[in-house]
Amino acid sequence: MYPLCTKELAHLEIVGTMVRQLLKNATPEQIMEAGAAGYYTDHDNGVYPASASGTPFTAAALQVKGDPIVDLTENLAAEQKARGTYEHLLNMTDDPDIIEPLKFLREREVVHFQRFGEALRIVQDYLQEPHLYVMPKPEFMNQ
């Protein structure tokens, strides 16, 4: 789980860096026209992970129940939502310097979705197999 979390944080860094590059030489007027005045006011050109509506990223966005079926299904949904977001962003630009990183990120979400799907099948198969658990004799019975 942790390597994937690290990869997802790297995706945030890539998107944040693209936004920073787009705003780097923008005038205050251009920033206001782009609807980024509030972001600029709070963060200048710094990379600050937030949703398009301005909601900051927090751990509250992570969903974990402790049930492998539920958690893997949640991960599958998260990957699909991220893929969809990248597709929406691709539809909003014709800049090749933005399109290529977004296509890369979208492809990574597809691969992550496939890996989570494989893990879900493995877990489901394992849980359907009969398991034999042998309890050792208590020490007092061995005397």
Side-chain angles (χ1 to χ4, degrees):
M1 181 75 170
Y2 293 112
L4 283 170
C5 291
T6 302
K7 288 179 185 202
E8 297 305 333
L9 290 174
H11 293 188
L12 283 173
E13 182 180 16
I14 291 169
V15 171
T17 300
M18 287 191 306
V19 170
R20 184 177 191 282
Q21 290 171 339
L22 289 168
L23 292 175
K24 187 166 87 176
N25 295 317
T27 66
E29 292 79 21
Q30 291 170 321
I31 290 170
M32 289 192 317
E33 286 173 21
Y39 181 92
Y40 178 80
T41 300
D42 287 342
H43 310 290
D44 189 25
N45 290 333
V47 177
Y48 182 76
S51 71
S53 62
T55 305
F57 173 78
T58 70
L62 306 175
Q63 298 296 319
V64 178
K65 293 303 265 178
D67 177 318
I69 302 293
V70 173
D71 290 346
L72 287 168
T73 303
E74 176 68 31
N75 289 336
L76 286 164
E79 297 299 337
Q80 287 296 74
K81 288 184 245 179
R83 181 199 47 79
T85 298
Y86 292 132
E87 287 179 9
H88 295 311
L89 290 170
L90 284 164
N91 291 335
M92 295 174 64
T93 186
D94 59 2
D95 183 340
D97 291 334
I98 298 300
I99 290 172
E100 289 309 309
L102 289 175
K103 283 172 47 180
F104 168 79
L105 291 169
R106 181 185 61 186
E107 290 168 12
R108 296 313 309 152
E109 301 304 342
V110 170
V111 171
H112 295 168
F113 179 82
Q114 292 168 339
R115 297 297 86 82
F116 279 125
E118 291 167 4
L120 179 59
R121 283 189 294 279
I122 290 167
V123 169
Q124 288 171 327
D125 289 346
Y126 176 79
L127 291 175
Q128 290 181 7
E129 292 175 5
H131 298 281
L132 176 62
Y133 297 98
V134 178
M135 298 292 293
K137 286 184 186 178
E139 281 297 316
F140 70 88
M141 294 185 83
N142 290 331
Q143 295 174 359

